[in-house]
């Protein structure tokens, strides 16, 4: 027989139990409400794809090269668990060819085989949106604004937005050449990882946080200074739009993000309340060449992904969205020590009437049932003992009013209406 220690969540994964899970419900509901208000529809795609789908989006990145959960299924197919959200959306677009602009959102787990750390799990959860089929810079503004609004809807106040432009197929090669020449001269000064590997993806060196790389590239050329006219105009319109919507941002010419496919606008949102090395809560950008690379017609695209696990850590750090405030308590707890039939029938009636109701099972003692009622945080208790049962009545008690609060007897036939009325009055007095 297996020892119990084998039956635990694998490293880097976790269970989310109630009431903590109520925060996830609120998080997902607010995300859906924010983006659906802007015309985005939910896309549900498989959690795993053919390996090539992900290799196509990031062959030179750590996420794809080192951190992917790839496996062979029983039919010998090479598959991988989704390491990020965009690749699957683009694959779905190429496969189904929907009308453009195609605006979709998703909220789903992503998988990365990396060292587990706070807010970074091997199965983490991302919410994201993607827009395919338009290169209008106002869409860039819309996408950034929706991420911004979502954080605001959670009550987060210390979120900082950084933006950059990575150019396009016209101006990126010119810049890449300039950066390559610069790095050739500085290669010896780069960090251990990049001294040899910088040639695979020179841009990534600018993203490196190691002191050697930061120092060696302090005066590196920046893409924003190499933008072609079209990219410069595009980026100016994006900044103008953010200003118009009152969304504060800073320009960060070193912001290159971790994946190969980004073009033009890129952005990142950081929660200042978290430790700086791990405070990115979301980010995204344009990927105008990706659909074509995946075998589709030339189609521009843009989107973002938000790390939901880390967003909740940011909520903790800012003291917003506490679990106790979001878990919806029961309305009514039915205490029945006259055989259980009343509890069975009354909870069914209450639930059918739209109230949240629960009861005890197993013929527990009145004392034990009242304890459960308190623990449930229900607002009202309905009590049916032998006296009430014989009279065709039930007693109603306000569980928030303290131990010596009185009870009143109500006829069974009017009970549901009476409870609804009482709960309404309680709501009114709370809101006054
Ligand atoms: Zn480095
Ligand atoms: Zn350009």
């Amino acid at each position: 027989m297996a020892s119990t220690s084998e039956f635990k969540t694998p490293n880097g994964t976790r269970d989310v139990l109630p009431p903590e899970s109520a925060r996830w419900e609120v998080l997902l509901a607010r995300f859906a409400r924010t983006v659906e208000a802007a015309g985005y529809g939910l896309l549900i795609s498989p959690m795993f794809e053919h390996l090539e789908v992900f290799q196509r989006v990031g062959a030179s990145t750590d996420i794809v090269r080192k951190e992917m959960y790839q496996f062979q299924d029983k039919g010998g197919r090479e598959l991988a668990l989704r390491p990020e959200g965009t690749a699957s959306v683009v694959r779905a677009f190429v496969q189904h060819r929907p009308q453009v602009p195609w605006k979709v959102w998703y909220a789903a787990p992503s998988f990365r085989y990396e060292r587990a750390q706070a807010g970074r799990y091997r199965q983490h959860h991302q919410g994201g949106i993607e827009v395919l089929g338009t290169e209008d810079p106002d869409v860039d503004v819309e996408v950034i604004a929706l991420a911004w609004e979502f954080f605001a809807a959670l009550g987060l106040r210390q979120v900082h937005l950084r933006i950059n432009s990575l150019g396009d197929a016209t101006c990126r090669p010119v810049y890449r050449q300039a950066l390559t020449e610069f790095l050739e001269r500085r290669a010896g000064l780069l960090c251990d990882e990049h001294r040899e590997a910088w040639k695979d993806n020179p841009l990534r060196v600018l993203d490196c946080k190691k002191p050697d790389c930061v120092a060696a590239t302090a005066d590196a050329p920046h893409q924003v200074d190499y933008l072609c006219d079209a990219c410069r105009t595009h980026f100016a319109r994006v900044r103008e739009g953010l200003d118009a919507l009152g969304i504060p941002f800073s320009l960060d010419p070193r912001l290159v993000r971790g994946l190969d496919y980004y073009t033009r606008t890129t952005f990142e949102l950081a929660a200042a309340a978290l430790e700086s090395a791990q405070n990115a809560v979301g980010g995204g950008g344009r990927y105008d060449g990706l659909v074509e690379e995946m075998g589709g017609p030339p189609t521009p695209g843009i989107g973002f992904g938000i790390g939901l696990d880390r967003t909740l850590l940011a909520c903790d750090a800012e003291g917003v969205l506490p679990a106790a405030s979001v878990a919806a308590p029961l309305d009514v707890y039915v205490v029945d020590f006259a055989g259980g039939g009343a509890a069975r029938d009354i909870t069914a009636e209450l639930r059918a009437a739209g109230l949240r109701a629960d009861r005890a099972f197993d013929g527990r003692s009145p004392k034990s049932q009242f304890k459960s009622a308190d623990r449930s945080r229900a607002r009202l208790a309905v009590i049916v003992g032998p006296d009430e049962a014989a009279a065709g009545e039930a007693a109603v008690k306000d569980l928030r009013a303290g131990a010596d609060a009185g009870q009143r007897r109500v006829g069974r036939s009017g009970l549901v209406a009476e409870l609804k009325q009482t709960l309404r009055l309680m709501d009114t007095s709370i809101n006054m």
Side-chain angles (χ1 to χ4, degrees):
M1 216 170 91
S3 78
T4 50
S5 68
E6 289 173 43
F7 297 117
K8 286 186 177 166
T9 49
N11 241 344
T13 68
R14 65 189 169 137
D15 301 311
V16 182
L17 310 180
E20 168 69 12
S21 51
R23 303 173 81 198
W24 284 86
E25 293 184 61
V26 171
L27 199 70
L28 293 171
R30 291 202 187 155
F31 187 71
R33 198 169 62 203
T34 303
V35 298
E36 288 183 351
Y40 292 73
L42 173 63
L43 171 72
I44 299 170
S45 63
M47 235 180 280
F48 56 89
E49 301 266 358
H50 291 291
L51 182 61
E52 294 83 358
V53 171
F54 303 119
Q55 283 175 334
R56 194 57 66 89
V57 304
S60 77
T61 62
D62 285 354
I63 293 169
V64 170
R65 281 198 312 193
K66 299 181 194 162
E67 297 168 358
M68 214 154 49
Y69 271 95
Q70 56 189 86
F71 59 97
Q72 223 176 43
D73 74 2
K74 288 179 178 168
R77 296 171 198 86
E78 292 291 341
L79 302 169
L81 298 182
R82 167 171 55 212
E84 58 93 56
T86 303
S88 300
V89 176
V90 171
R91 194 269 312 137
F93 176 83
V94 171
Q95 183 172 343
H96 304 288
R97 304 288 171 93
Q99 284 280 319
V100 296
W102 197 47
K103 297 167 74 168
V104 294
W105 70 275
Y106 61 85
S110 294
F111 304 86
R112 288 182 195 176
Y113 192 81
E114 60 182 347
R115 204 165 55 83
Q117 49 183 326
R120 208 147 173 76
Y121 300 94
R122 289 180 175 172
Q123 174 177 331
H124 63 281
H125 300 82
Q126 263 186 33
I129 64 174
E130 312 286 348
V131 186
L132 287 146
T134 168
E135 60 175 9
D136 192 324
D138 287 359
V139 165
D140 304 37
V141 175
E142 174 177 299
V143 166
I144 295 171
L146 286 170
W148 186 261
E149 278 168 32
F150 169 59
F151 290 125
L154 295 175
L156 291 172
R157 291 289 172 266
Q158 301 169 49
V159 176
H160 296 161
L161 167 67
R162 290 176 299 131
I163 65 170
N164 190 21
S165 175
L166 294 180
D168 62 0
T170 306
C171 54
R172 175 88 73 93
V174 183
Y175 168 65
R176 205 182 157 101
Q177 182 59 29
L179 181 63
T180 301
E181 282 164 17
F182 173 87
L183 290 174
E184 254 157 16
R185 296 194 299 273
R186 301 289 170 89
L189 302 172
L190 299 177
C191 76
D192 290 345
E193 186 196 338
H194 288 122
R195 206 169 299 144
E196 300 295 332
W198 68 270
K199 281 183 178 140
D200 294 347
N201 189 346
L203 257 62
R204 286 309 307 272
V205 178
L206 298 181
D207 202 28
C208 181
K209 304 287 185 283
K210 304 241 172 66
D212 286 349
C213 275
V214 172
T217 61
D219 56 344
H222 294 143
Q223 175 73 61
V224 280
D225 298 320
Y226 286 76
L227 296 179
C228 64
D229 286 347
C231 287
R232 201 176 313 117
T233 307
H234 192 274
F235 194 39
R237 176 78 184 183
V238 173
R239 285 172 300 173
E240 186 192 317
L242 293 173
D243 284 339
L245 297 189
I247 297 173
F249 62 90
S250 54
L251 289 176
D252 182 355
R254 300 179 72 92
L255 178 68
V256 299
R257 312 248 333 129
L259 291 155
D260 295 344
Y261 51 65
Y262 285 111
T263 56
R264 290 192 167 172
T265 312
T266 52
F267 59 96
E268 206 162 279
L269 293 132
L274 296 176
E275 200 189 315
S276 66
Q278 293 164 44
N279 67 0
V281 285
R286 268 202 175 275
Y287 43 85
D288 291 344
L290 188 57
V291 172
E292 216 175 341
E293 270 205 45
M294 289 238 204
T299 309
I302 180 167
F304 69 65
I306 285 173
L308 299 176
D309 309 81
R310 208 180 274 181
T311 295
L312 283 176
L313 290 180
C315 288
D316 292 339
E318 285 200 35
V320 298
L321 207 74
S325 77
V326 297
L330 291 173
D331 294 313
V332 180
Y333 198 95
V334 181
V335 172
D336 176 349
F337 42 99
R344 177 194 64 211
D345 300 344
I346 292 170
T347 48
E349 278 175 52
L350 291 171
R351 291 167 188 168
L355 297 178
R356 291 185 293 270
D358 201 4
R359 54 163 294 195
F361 294 98
D362 301 317
R364 296 260 173 87
S365 70
K367 191 179 163 200
S368 154
Q369 291 192 49
F370 276 114
K371 224 184 246 172
S372 301
D374 282 334
R375 209 179 308 126
S376 77
R377 297 171 54 242
R379 297 195 282 173
L380 296 175
V382 165
I383 304 148
V384 182
D387 286 355
E388 287 88 355
E393 294 180 337
V396 176
K397 186 178 182 215
D398 182 347
L399 287 172
R400 307 278 171 91
D404 49 352
Q407 305 178 4
R408 60 179 195 285
R409 298 265 289 251
V410 180
R412 278 282 278 108
S413 59
L415 179 62
V416 172
E418 168 74 19
L419 291 168
K420 284 187 118 171
Q421 171 68 9
T422 306
L423 288 163
R424 245 194 317 273
L425 287 172
M426 292 169 99
D427 282 340
T428 321
S429 66
I430 289 167
N431 294 334
M432 260 162 57

